[in-house]
Amino acid sequence: MKNAWWKIIGVLLIIYSLIVGLLTPLRTGISDASPTSFKTGETIEINVQGYNSFYTKSSNELRAWLKMDSVNALTANNIEVLDDRNLSLTFILPAYLPTSHKVQDFTLIVDSPKDGAAILPGGIFVTQDSIDVASGDSLWVNAEITNLHEKETINFPYRNILYETIRNLYYHVPLWFAMFILFITAMVKSIFYLRSFNPVHDQKAAAFTSVGILYGILGLVTGAIWAKNTWGAYWSWDVKQNMTAVGMLIYAAYFVLRASFEDPEKRARISAVYNIFAFATLIPLLYVVPKLTDSLHPGAGGNIAFGSQDLDNTMRMVFYPAIIGWALFGTWLATLVFKITSLKERWLDQQDGF
Amino acid sequence: MNLLQEITFLLKKEFTLEWRQKYAISGIFLYVLSTVFIIFISFQKISPQLWNVLFWIVMLFASINAVVKSFVQESGNRQLYYYQLANPLAILLSKMLYNAMLLLLIGVLTFVALSFIAGSPVEDAYNFAMALFFGSVGFSITFTFVSAIAAKADNNSTLMAILSFPVVIPVLLLLVNLSAHSIGLLGGTQVSRDIMMLLAVDLVLLALGMVLFPFLWRD
């Protein structure tokens, strides 16, 4: 038990990330608004569908805005609560907008003291027949957006398109990080082998590589499930998905290579060389090629990475422990694989009468 | 003898060997021509996009077939003799250099053959030549090193395909991108960046090959 503390920490961190990651509710949001297109000079009614919202509990204190830009916003003239999930908002649109765009998009904001603020970014479109910025300015009744509430309890951000799948961040991404840690360890062990020619290092490299492949496949599967819910298909031949599959092929070839040698010394040496070479090709595969073409994946094809905008401090509390947990757990798995192979080897040696 | 002299000497040896056994190089040329002919029969009309992809596929398979023999055409004992005589690094580099020239020749032949039957959609000849040059070098570095690995195993031609296809994909995709630029399929001004990236990948693979080869040749 003395040397098992890191295994326990790894398992505890994974359990923590599973429990907290799956049970923490999402913040309130707006899942749907209809209709979404309007014309200037009308009194409009928008039916809002809330997510994780409890409108009836704070029906008198609800506030709603249509936000045009950082300065200009319209407030709702009437808010009718239909039930906990449904609102009917009434706005009076002026005849002209203080903008030179023909079609202007508005962000819908609903604020309640109970749930906190919810937004639907750029979800409402208003078309003006003729553009007149000056009269738009004079007609505009600006309502400043102030004192937005925040929900007190622990929760995760609500994002349109992502919805509940935002939790996959704690499984897909940490598995991916941990896979990299495992492959790097395997490469370092291969370098150790080539420096010392101690067969233990080679067996460890093979063990870390095998667990790395397992993590890679799990990362690919969790990614495919996420893609089904956000991109619309499990496999959309996205460059990031394709390159990951190729990366797994590179490492699968490592085991084919190992299997094709009879002599253990030769096998260890050649596969150590290949392992280092494989890692060097994995980097351009996963970080250079996806930047060249269009991709749906965050952090590729000119997209911003997930962390820069959508990761808040509550998510970090689960995300970072999950990375450490999966990495420690993977290391544990690799040491087990190593023990099994070395025991098998010893048993075979005894069978041969060494 | 210093490294440079050794390399030129070994390069001469490779050329002499090739010249004596003409069947290998003529086999590759025949392979390219018959593939292009089959392409023509099956497609009849080839769009620029298809042309681009087919060119690199023909190039890829011809290259693998050309390079796979680098370390197996001579017997293991004679190889060991070479390693005693010359710096192993010089042997690797001379083979890479020789293969790069061979692949460049194959690339030019593929280009001529494909242009002859389907017309050439290349608009920016300079960029295409750059892609062809760095592509040959990249293929040569990757395939030569992988063939050195595969030669150590028994069923080396199968292993060659398994090991080299995934490993060469970063280079191949950069090349397809680059030649798509020169054909006019892709706009933008990122050509120089792509060439730099290709060069960087080539250099990394070359450096790694040079560092790792001393562990590979010993038996």
Side-chain angles (χ1 to χ4, degrees):
Chain A
M1 278 310 272
K2 209 170 67 184
N3 294 323
W5 58 272
W6 56 274
K7 299 171 191 170
I8 297 168
I9 289 177
V11 172
L12 285 179
L13 285 177
I14 289 176
I15 292 171
Y16 161 79
S17 77
L18 282 171
I19 292 174
V20 179
L22 289 177
L23 292 185
T24 309
L26 285 191
R27 214 167 286 163
T28 183
I30 300 168
S31 58
D32 197 24
S34 67
T36 53
S37 303
F38 301 99
K39 283 191 165 153
T40 46
E42 288 177 338
T43 301
I44 60 168
E45 200 168 292
I46 305 173
N47 291 309
V48 174
Q49 207 169 19
Y51 190 86
N52 274 1
S53 58
F54 298 95
Y55 294 137
T56 49
K57 290 188 179 164
S58 51
S59 55
N60 295 326
E61 293 157 281
L62 283 177
R63 296 177 300 163
W65 292 273
L66 277 179
K67 185 181 165 196
M68 194 178 97
D69 49 40
S70 54
V71 186
N72 295 313
L74 273 181
T75 186
N77 292 67
N78 186 36
I79 300 173
E80 192 188 339
V81 176
L82 304 174
D83 54 47
D84 266 345
R85 295 284 185 269
N86 287 291
L87 281 181
S88 176
L89 306 175
T90 311
F91 292 92
I92 299 170
L93 293 178
Y96 297 99
L97 297 178
T99 172
S100 53
H101 296 296
K102 179 91 177 134
V103 179
Q104 173 67 39
D105 61 306
F106 285 85
T107 295
L108 184 66
I109 302 176
V110 175
D111 179 61
S112 92
K114 175 85 177 78
D115 305 318
I119 65 168
L120 183 66
I124 307 290
F125 299 92
V126 176
T127 314
Q128 43 184 353
D129 298 328
S130 52
I131 295 163
D132 188 343
V133 180
S135 30
D137 275 327
S138 62
L139 284 172
W140 189 260
V141 186
N142 198 34
E144 214 178 320
I145 302 170
T146 49
N147 301 325
L148 286 181
H149 292 88
E150 268 197 48
K151 198 170 183 180
E152 300 287 307
T153 52
I154 294 171
N155 51 33
F156 296 145
Y158 172 90
R159 290 281 182 269
N160 290 89
I161 301 176
L162 285 179
Y163 306 117
E164 297 282 351
T165 66
I166 201 167
R167 300 166 199 283
N168 202 355
L169 182 78
Y170 312 130
Y171 314 108
H172 174 63
V173 186
L175 277 167
W176 197 246
F177 273 59
M179 178 202 80
F180 256 96
I181 293 170
L182 292 170
F183 280 154
I184 289 170
T185 316
M187 186 198 61
V188 171
K189 293 282 175 200
S190 296
I191 294 172
F192 281 177
Y193 176 78
L194 291 180
R195 292 185 74 91
S196 68
F197 292 105
N198 180 354
V200 169
H201 289 311
D202 171 62
Q203 285 167 1
K204 278 186 181 164
F208 274 98
T209 309
S210 64
V211 180
I213 290 179
L214 174 71
Y215 272 34
I217 291 168
L218 286 177
L220 211 55
V221 170
T222 50
I225 294 169
W226 210 354
K228 174 69 181 167
N229 285 292
T230 52
W231 303 349
Y234 288 112
W235 197 272
S236 39
W237 297 105
D238 188 75
V239 63
K240 200 92 171 172
Q241 289 179 316
N242 291 342
M243 292 308 106
T244 309
V246 172
M248 292 303 110
L249 282 183
I250 290 181
Y251 276 99
Y254 172 76
F255 288 99
V256 176
L257 183 68
R258 285 186 80 82
S260 60
F261 290 104
E262 290 285 332
D263 176 17
E265 194 276 330
K266 200 170 167 184
R267 174 176 60 211
R269 188 160 44 82
I270 307 289
S271 51
V273 167
Y274 181 76
N275 198 315
I276 299 167
F277 195 68
F279 186 79
T281 51
L282 192 69
I283 300 301
L285 206 56
L286 298 181
Y287 290 101
V288 177
V289 174
K291 295 221 188 301
L292 296 180
T293 50
D294 295 325
S295 172
L296 295 161
H297 197 280
N303 295 346
I304 46 168
F306 193 92
S308 57
Q309 291 207 332
D310 298 307
L311 198 60
D312 74 348
N313 283 331
T314 324
M315 296 191 79
R316 286 198 177 90
M317 298 272 285
V318 187
F319 179 57
Y320 295 138
I323 293 175
I324 299 167
W326 284 108
L328 289 175
F329 188 66
T331 313
W332 185 18
L333 278 182
T335 51
L336 287 179
V337 172
F338 164 68
K339 271 178 196 162
I340 291 169
T341 45
S342 58
L343 281 176
K344 226 182 237 170
E345 208 119 294
R346 202 183 301 167
W347 181 74
L348 281 174
D349 283 352
Q350 280 169 355
Q351 293 284 303
D352 290 345
F354 276 105
Chain B
M1 269 202 290
N2 63 25
L3 195 66
L4 218 60
Q5 277 174 314
E6 281 185 7
I7 290 173
T8 41
F9 195 81
L10 285 163
L11 210 55
K12 250 181 243 163
K13 185 215 85 181
E14 294 284 341
F15 277 113
T16 324
L17 217 62
E18 195 69 70
W19 190 246
R20 278 188 198 150
Q21 325 174 316
K22 291 188 196 67
Y23 73 93
I25 191 152
S26 44
I28 293 294
F29 285 171
L30 214 55
Y31 178 92
V32 170
L33 290 178
S34 44
T35 318
V36 170
F37 190 63
I38 289 169
I39 287 172
F40 177 64
I41 292 174
S42 25
F43 286 101
Q44 300 290 345
K45 191 168 160 33
I46 300 172
S47 69
Q49 198 154 16
L50 197 61
W51 192 98
N52 186 26
V53 174
L54 285 175
F55 175 81
W56 287 109
I57 289 178
V58 173
M59 181 76 189
L60 176 73
F61 280 90
S63 308
I64 286 200
N65 278 318
V67 177
V68 72
K69 63 173 179 47
S70 318
F71 283 92
V72 286
Q73 65 176 0
E74 292 164 87
S75 72
N77 292 337
R78 204 199 292 183
Q79 298 251 357
L80 211 58
Y81 175 59
Y82 288 148
Y83 292 132
Q84 303 302 321
L85 284 178
N87 186 343
L89 216 54
I91 293 176
L92 178 77
L93 289 176
S94 68
K95 280 197 194 294
M96 279 182 179
L97 215 58
Y98 172 74
N99 283 332
M101 290 183 213
L102 182 65
L103 296 192
L104 200 60
L105 193 64
I106 291 173
V108 171
L109 183 76
T110 314
F111 176 75
V112 170
L114 213 53
S115 305
F116 181 69
I117 60 147
S120 158
V122 175
E123 290 168 6
D124 190 340
Y126 172 74
N127 269 335
F128 190 80
M130 288 292 269
L132 195 56
F133 177 74
F134 285 114
S136 307
V137 173
F139 278 1
S140 158
I141 291 169
T142 320
F143 290 153
T144 308
F145 189 71
V146 170
S147 81
I149 292 177
K152 295 286 165 194
D154 303 327
N155 52 349
N156 55 64
S157 59
T158 323
L159 207 57
M160 178 77 190
I162 294 171
L163 296 181
S164 56
F165 278 134
V167 165
V168 86
I169 277 183
V171 177
L172 187 66
L173 286 175
L174 279 165
L175 285 173
V176 171
N177 225 19
L178 209 56
S179 72
H181 268 292
S182 65
I183 289 175
L185 295 172
L186 286 177
T189 51
Q190 299 167 332
V191 179
S192 57
R193 192 197 63 173
D194 280 10
I195 290 178
M196 288 309 286
M197 230 176 252
L198 193 59
L199 192 63
V201 173
D202 282 3
L203 283 178
V204 167
L205 294 179
L206 177 67
L208 216 62
M210 285 169 69
V211 170
L212 293 175
F213 190 68
F215 296 103
L216 213 53
W217 67 265
R218 262 178 273 247
D219 257 318

